[in-house]
Amino acid sequence: PRVSAQPAEFLEEVVVTAQKLAQSLLEVPISISVVTGESIQNRNFQSLFDLSYTVPAMHLTESGPSDEIRLRGIGSGNNGSFEQSVGTFVDGIYHGRARMSRAMFLDLERIEIMKGPQSTYFGNNAIAGALNLTTRRPGEELEGYVSALYEANHCEYALEAAAGGPLSATLGARIALR
């Protein structure tokens, strides 16, 4: 048999904030799926509905004034007056109604899908799980991107751009447009 002299390939370390501090995905003792912002852009995911088709045990249903978000089959139904059993958090800010599922993605760093009760770190409104969306932060260097899409059959188009970087030694800024 031949032995390859090439070094083994390793996956990059995935850092999550599921327990309110930055940890390696391997250290977090919960069932969690992570989708990077780069993967979201490459696959052209526009919202949580697009994402739900590829994440196991995640189901979204668009229905009238409220949407249903279910993780592992558990959710709170489509009653608009109920808080969702799956808490949705964007940069740590809680969004109690499922209408957030219709919002378009813009300049995301990652999405963490935590399955099972998450009330210890995310409160009573995350008894079925939590969706933690994290937007990109300004980096150490000036960087950005522009993305344009056009679909001729239905005359649909999209333009997205973002840029960010340091303004001084201690201050950075990032702007994103769609």
Side-chain angles (χ1 to χ4, degrees), residues 35-46 136 147 149:
V35 182
T36 65
E38 186 176 300
S39 178
I40 290 168
Q41 279 186 321
N42 290 343
R43 295 178 179 186
N44 196 28
F45 289 158
Q46 299 296 313
R136 287 190 183 143
S147 173
L149 301 169

Side-chain angles (χ1 to χ4, degrees), residues 69-148:
I69 303 174
R70 296 181 182 276
L71 288 175
R72 293 182 173 168
I74 301 172
S76 53
N78 65 354
N79 188 332
S81 62
F82 290 160
E83 299 265 335
Q84 285 292 308
S85 299
V86 179
T88 303
F89 298 83
V90 179
D91 290 332
I93 298 172
Y94 174 65
H95 295 272
R97 303 291 187 245
R99 297 290 289 194
M100 184 63 197
S101 62
R102 297 182 190 187
M104 301 296 270
F105 291 155
L106 180 63
D107 202 28
L108 291 177
E109 181 180 316
R110 72 180 171 278
I111 298 176
E112 302 167 3
I113 301 105
M114 293 156 278
K115 300 167 187 160
Q118 302 298 320
S119 56
T120 302
Y121 293 104
F122 292 96
N124 279 342
N125 295 326
I127 59 172
L131 303 175
N132 189 22
L133 288 77
T134 305
T135 57
R136 287 190 183 143
R137 306 276 186 244
E140 303 271 332
E141 299 174 4
L142 181 63
E143 59 91 20
Y145 69 89
V146 175
S147 173

